[in-house]
């Protein structure tokens, strides 16, 4: 169970969360947030100096999506489909923002985080891993995983 339940999109976080955590994990959330900058500001406030942010997002530029685009198909996980017909979004109709390595680096840098490590989840096809994470650069994996630090 969560200690605090709240709307995190464009809202200030509860004062209970301020500057008290060594580690904050944001897994598969950022792509759902409309007010990303406000969310990142509040997330940073939750961390102690030298605190760690572990973040993961779907990678719109993953290897699987690159092949899909070659054949005229929409990317998996993309928010692009929303403007066409939410009925064809196959479960990802809540994504409001797409991320790749460059966009994620820019977002973290803009908010003063220092990236310690950037990894990939590997490449999956039909829920089967075909390229393990340790062989796959972050820019080609299905998901990007970042370990970043709030400088003291």
């Amino acid at each position: 169970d969560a200690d605090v339940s709240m709307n995190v999109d464009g809202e200030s976080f509860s004062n209970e969360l301020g500057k008290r955590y060594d580690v904050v994990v944001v897994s598969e959330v950022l792509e759902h947030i409309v007010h990303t900058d406000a969310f990142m500001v509040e997330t940073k406030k939750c961390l102690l100096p030298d605190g760690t942010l572990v973040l993961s997002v779907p990678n719109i530029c993953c290897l699987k999506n690159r092949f899909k685009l070659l054949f005229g198909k929409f990317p998996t996980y993309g928010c692009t489909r929303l403007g066409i017909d939410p009925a064809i979004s196959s479960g990802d109709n809540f994504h409001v923002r797409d991320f790749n390595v460059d966009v994620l680096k820019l977002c973290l840098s803009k908010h003063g985080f220092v990236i310690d490590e950037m990894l990939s989840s590997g490449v999956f096809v039909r829920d089967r891993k075909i390229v393990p994470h340790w062989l796959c650069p972050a820019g080609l994996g299905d998901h990007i995983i970042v370990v970043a630090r709030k400088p003291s």
Side-chain angles (χ1 to χ4, degrees):
D1 290 319
D3 291 336
V4 177
S5 179
M6 58 187 286
N7 174 5
V8 296
D9 197 357
E11 302 290 327
S12 294
F13 289 7
S14 165
N15 285 339
E16 298 174 51
L17 299 176
K19 294 183 184 171
R20 59 182 247 182
Y21 297 97
D22 291 313
V23 178
V24 170
V25 178
V26 179
S27 179
E28 308 302 310
V29 172
L30 211 53
E31 67 275 11
H32 302 276
I33 302 288
V34 173
H35 304 286
T36 310
D37 286 334
F39 178 81
M40 293 302 292
V41 165
E42 293 298 315
T43 300
K44 189 174 178 185
K45 285 181 192 175
C46 295
L47 282 167
L48 292 167
D50 287 323
T52 300
L53 172 65
V54 179
L55 179 85
S56 69
V57 293
N59 179 13
I60 196 67
C61 294
C62 68
L63 188 61
K64 176 174 33 187
N65 285 344
R66 292 174 191 219
F67 279 108
K68 284 183 152 192
L69 288 168
L70 283 174
F71 295 100
K73 303 290 184 190
F74 278 108
T76 305
Y77 326 120
C79 67
T80 309
R81 295 173 172 177
L82 278 176
I84 298 167
D85 182 3
I88 66 166
S89 67
S90 70
D92 49 345
N93 58 344
F94 294 105
H95 290 192
V96 296
R97 188 173 315 285
D98 292 326
F99 287 92
N100 66 7
V101 167
D102 290 340
V103 170
L104 196 52
K105 283 180 180 178
L106 185 65
C107 177
L108 290 165
S109 171
K110 177 180 180 179
H111 293 285
F113 285 97
V114 175
I115 297 172
D116 291 330
E117 196 169 10
M118 188 170 275
L119 311 161
S120 116
S121 62
V123 177
F124 293 79
V125 173
R126 295 189 178 135
D127 296 327
R128 195 176 290 231
K129 188 181 284 192
I130 62 167
V131 180
H133 71 278
W134 50 272
L135 278 178
C136 186
L140 294 179
D142 284 16
H143 298 267
I144 304 166
I145 303 158
V146 176
V147 178
R149 187 174 18 86
K150 173 185 174 179
S152 48

